[in-house]
Amino acid sequence: MEKYSVYNQKIAELFEEIADMLEIEGGDHSFEIRAYRKAAMNLSVLQEDVGDILEKEGTEGLMKIPGIGKGLAERIREYVEKGHMSKYEALKKKYPIDFNSLTKIQGLGARKVLKLYSSLHVKNIEDLKKAVAQHKIRALEGFGEKSESEIAKGLQLLESARGRMPLGTALPEAESIIKTISDSGFADRVVIAGSTRRMRETVGDLDILVTSATPQKIMDLVASLKEAEHVVVSGPTKTTIQLRMGLSCDVRVVEPSSFGAALQYFTGSKEHGIAIRQIAVRKGLKLNEYGLFDKKGKVVASKTEEEIYGKLGLQYIEPEMREARGEVALAAEHRLPKLIEQKEIRGDLHTHTDNSDGQNTIEEMIEAAVRKGYSYIGLSDHSKSEYIAHGMDDKRFAKYFDEIDKVAEKYEGIIEVLKSGEVDILKDGTLDVNKSTLDRMDYRIGAVHMNRNMSRDEMTKRILGAFDEGINILAHPTGRLINEREPIDFDTDKVFHAAKDKGVIMEVNAFPNRLDLNDENIIKARSYGIKFAIDTDSHKTEHLDFIKYGIGTARRGWLTKGDVVNTLDADALKRIFR
Ligand code: DGT
Ligand code: CA
Ligand code: CA
């Protein structure tokens, strides 16, 4: 599980901000800027806390972290020991701007943020909102009306996201709290409910259910959790805490005899719960969080969810399907699809190495896939248009494939290594590499990265063009980033129709800030009868574990094993690509 430490995250943010401020300083800071950004990136994914490293091995230890030299190690030490960073403070005095919030708005980079500051005194989100409302931005040099409306959209996105966090942040936090409660020995069962159990892409608050012979002990423990910032309310069987990471968390102790009813109720969704209770009423029964009761008030079922759905004449409905999207009617007819499971995945088809912007070598990625028990792994580094990601031209691709072939020999009989590339789909729908490069790939991934603001018609043509160029998989089809960036605009009907026609596979990108296609788009795409690939888009070995978010999203889109190509064995998969 990905677990970020407090220092690493905080220092990464400071480094990012230093880079932003250096960028607007002007002059030649390009080397320094890159160093800060790289260090920030490496710190944000580092497993071990820099505080611990410093304690054990001093700055020498810090310098073993990739991208951290002597100077940066000193800055980290200063922050850990003194609680501030003088370099940061000096720059901040010059630029009293909330960079971290402002640069997260789509369409705003460090330079534009400075321009807004120097000409309109925009220091934070509030100032930005005012400037947008008064239409002051469109008049600025380098902005214009289009840019102003994009910023307005970015602000709206931020507004609608308020308080909801990506599943990829919420789930690890829930798992960590559940572990602490389990390890205490005071609980018999500890489970996650609510939107997190349903694997919804964003989560409003955490809902945890516990059975215990000593409820007060659980309540005390929850109030004193290290993750808690403060206690919101505490009663004999329910405590709500505000977590430091931003969400709040409800912990309820329920009776073992009504555990199933409570789990069914608090898993939701609310709309699914209402639909289920209507079925109960039609059968002359009553369902609440304590159980399913007959007219005389006698318990019909309450211990497990399976019994409750069973006594209502329904098939068991998986949590990811409980969204009132027609699942209740299907369950009544015993016609629910059998949802895909993680254990059915036999390989990952979208991964990166240090040949572009990944952090691990080809061999390390292959090793990690072997450890996951996969039968194959597809390596798919970036093409040259993605210059920020150090994307490859045809010459580098050739060397990349040679290297893969060489390493793959060592793994013969252990795991099949497939050669691919995440190739940029250019504005006109052509691909960013030569035919000879495409020909050496076992399969081709296409992706839209640049020029995202095309009209719906143009973007649709662009994607269809890439289908004609022979891509096998369309990576993160909409390009949205959860709570950060809107999807690109294209005609999904036309694209899904063509995908069916040409046998192009839609990706369910499992990277936690993407989840793309999302549940609703998957349901739509599935109705066209097209196939899917659930991929992690890993940029380091640990990311292979993100597959669970892709599985959750695929299950929310009602996908079965048969819909997903990377449940096939390597030979069957290669036949599909040919
Ligand atoms: P969230 O927290 O906004 O991501 O979404 P949920 O689904 O976790 O919602 P939450 O935390 O408000 O409540 C957890 C579950 O409890 C919810 O999915 C269903 C149940 N629930 C809460 N309030 C109501 C209600 O007013 N009526 C019904 N039928 N169920 C409710
Ligand atoms: Ca919730
Ligand atoms: Ca709740």
Side-chain angles (χ1 to χ4, degrees), residues 382-395:
H382 285 286
S383 64
K384 61 182 179 295
S385 292
E386 279 289 279
Y387 52 86
I388 302 170
H390 199 49
M392 299 181 286
D393 59 14
D394 293 284
K395 225 165 116 194

Side-chain angles (χ1 to χ4, degrees), residues 372-387:
K372 276 194 86 70
Y374 283 160
S375 350
Y376 47 85
I377 177 170
L379 300 171
S380 54
D381 276 296
H382 285 286
S383 64
K384 61 182 179 295
S385 292
E386 279 289 279
Y387 52 86

Side-chain angles (χ1 to χ4, degrees), residues 281-300:
V281 169
R282 256 182 258 149
K283 290 195 173 316
L285 303 168
K286 191 183 153 204
L287 177 65
N288 60 28
E289 66 221 79
Y290 303 104
L292 181 64
F293 303 92
D294 66 13
K295 281 216 172 65
K296 292 179 190 138
K298 200 173 139 260
V299 181
V300 177

